Amino acid sequence: MQSNPEKRRDTASRDGEGHRDEAQADAERETLMMELTRLVQKSVRDSSWWERRGIDCSILTAAFISLPAGFLLLGSSQPLYFLSGVLMMGVAHAVITVKGTHLASHGTLSESPAWAHFWAVFFIEVCGSFSAGAGVQAHVKMHHAYTNVIGLGDSSTWKIPFLPRCIYLFIAPLAVPIITPIVAIGQLKGQSPLQILRTVLCVCLGFFSQYYLLRCVSGLSCSSALLLMFLCRAMFSLPYIHVNIFQHIGLPMFSPTNRPKRIYQMTHGVLNLPRNPLLDWTFGHSLISCHVEHHLFPFLSDNMCLKVKPLVSQYLKEKKLPYHEDAYISRLSLFFHRYQELMVFAPPITELVGIQ
């Protein structure tokens, strides 16, 4: 029979071994992320400027170049030409306000901090009708830093529990062009007077510039111009909302006080959709087929996320880490049939906590 001092020594020994095992496990997790980071950074260093930024900048430039043709086609009395103009304006708007604002919020359009800030204000406020400061805070500093952490970056801002599933999934997203500037006004609280003035002026500049061109170049009446602005801005609202909920909600959620290491947090809490020619080029690869890569390395451009995708997926699979992928229709079916569970009656934190 052991004496009390011996028992205490055995307990202390086991506690010490437990702490060492935990420290060793933490070190291994850190090593995994560091090793993957080195591989990705090597790929970035070996890439040309065209691969790092040129391709994405060219896509954004093409969207702006298509705008004059779109305005002219909208002034045509021929139905086919008019519909072509609507489609062209809708696609260009999605490229500029989704892909452009997303890249600009991460500062990936330029290596210069000053230019990166300029593009963030231009794309988010002038083109996207939202506050650049609030957008960067909500997306980069909260969603990315606290991905799937309850109450912080858990995508709960996209939930509207009082809406029925059919209304939420198929009708409510069409109101995004109207809701966005309203939400932007609410986000101005707490900002400096100069920032508030800048945001208001930039949003008004973007809105009235499009309205003026529809009136003067396309020759539309006041009501027709406003209707066309709404149609073009709402054209990709359905997939925009779907993508934002499909890739995080329904995956493991984590407690703010006990979340896993970064590589586990991102691989368990993020999902890729398959390549989609339309959405990949309008929204960007980092929002569609390379979302896992984007959350692991948010400083990469869309094209670089696509380039390192095989490297990242192979590494994660070799290390027995999750690499979530699912089809758009499959996710839509899941949210349609489990809408109450996923979007209304969220389970308590203890049930949402995933890998720790």
Side-chain angles (χ1 to χ4, degrees), residues 182-197:
I182 296 174
V183 174
I185 293 172
Q187 295 295 321
L188 294 177
K189 184 179 180 180
Q191 296 190 27
S192 68
L194 284 178
Q195 287 179 315
I196 294 174
L197 179 63

Side-chain angles (χ1 to χ4, degrees), residues 271-293:
L271 175 141
N272 282 347
L273 295 171
R275 290 291 301 276
N276 180 303
L278 180 60
L279 295 183
D280 261 281
W281 290 104
T282 51
F283 288 6
H285 304 303
S286 61
L287 288 178
I288 306 298
S289 58
C290 303
H291 204 52
V292 173
E293 290 76 12

Side-chain angles (χ1 to χ4, degrees), residues 141-163:
K141 297 182 180 179
M142 293 301 294
H143 174 64
H144 271 271
Y146 301 98
T147 301
N148 284 30
V149 174
I150 297 296
L152 295 172
D154 58 0
S155 300
S156 59
T157 54
W158 299 103
K159 295 182 180 182
I160 311 178
F162 61 85
L163 290 181

Side-chain angles (χ1 to χ4, degrees), residues 30-45 297 311:
E30 292 292 350
T31 301
L32 288 175
M33 190 65 206
M34 290 170 63
E35 184 179 6
L36 180 57
T37 300
R38 283 195 296 270
L39 293 172
V40 170
Q41 287 178 342
K42 182 180 184 303
S43 179
V44 173
R45 286 194 301 271
F297 306 101
L311 184 156

Side-chain angles (χ1 to χ4, degrees), residues 174-178 210 225-235:
L174 297 176
V176 166
I178 299 171
Q210 186 179 15
L226 292 174
L227 179 61
L228 256 297
M229 287 178 67
F230 172 77
L231 289 176
C232 293
R233 293 176 179 227
M235 187 176 294

Side-chain angles (χ1 to χ4, degrees), residues 124-321:
I124 299 174
E125 297 190 351
V126 178
C127 303
S129 302
F130 201 74
S131 164
V136 171
Q137 173 68 24
H139 181 71
V140 179
K141 297 182 180 179
M142 293 301 294
H143 174 64
H144 271 271
Y146 301 98
T147 301
N148 284 30
V149 174
I150 297 296
L152 295 172
D154 58 0
S155 300
S156 59
T157 54
W158 299 103
K159 295 182 180 182
I160 311 178
F162 61 85
L163 290 181
R165 62 181 176 182
C166 288
I167 298 295
Y168 179 88
L169 291 172
F170 304 112
I171 298 176
L174 297 176
V176 166
I178 299 171
I179 295 172
T180 299
I182 296 174
V183 174
I185 293 172
Q187 295 295 321
L188 294 177
K189 184 179 180 180
Q191 296 190 27
S192 68
L194 284 178
Q195 287 179 315
I196 294 174
L197 179 63
R198 185 201 67 197
T199 299
V200 171
L201 290 176
C202 286
V203 171
C204 290
L205 174 64
F207 181 88
F208 286 109
S209 294
Q210 186 179 15
Y211 175 78
Y212 175 81
L213 290 170
L214 286 171
R215 293 274 285 151
C216 297
V217 177
S218 303
L220 300 178
S221 65
C222 175
S223 57
S224 296
L226 292 174
L227 179 61
L228 256 297
M229 287 178 67
F230 172 77
L231 289 176
C232 293
R233 293 176 179 227
M235 187 176 294
F236 285 84
S237 292
L238 282 175
Y240 175 74
I241 294 297
H242 292 170
V243 164
N244 275 287
I245 64 174
F246 289 174
Q247 293 179 316
H248 295 286
I249 296 175
L251 297 172
M253 296 282 173
F254 309 109
S255 165
T257 57
N258 193 26
R259 59 174 175 166
K261 294 295 182 180
R262 178 178 173 79
I263 194 166
Y264 283 155
Q265 178 185 352
M266 300 308 171
T267 55
H268 283 83
V270 187
L271 175 141
N272 282 347
L273 295 171
R275 290 291 301 276
N276 180 303
L278 180 60
L279 295 183
D280 261 281
W281 290 104
T282 51
F283 288 6
H285 304 303
S286 61
L287 288 178
I288 306 298
S289 58
C290 303
H291 204 52
V292 173
E293 290 76 12
H294 172 61
H295 267 263
L296 286 168
F297 306 101
F299 58 87
L300 296 180
S301 65
D302 285 334
N303 185 67
M304 281 307 302
C305 282
L306 184 64
K307 182 176 180 179
V308 303
K309 179 182 174 73
L311 184 156
V312 172
S313 62
Q314 180 182 355
Y315 181 86
L316 295 179
K317 290 171 183 177
E318 285 177 356
K319 300 302 180 181
K320 309 300 181 185
L321 289 168

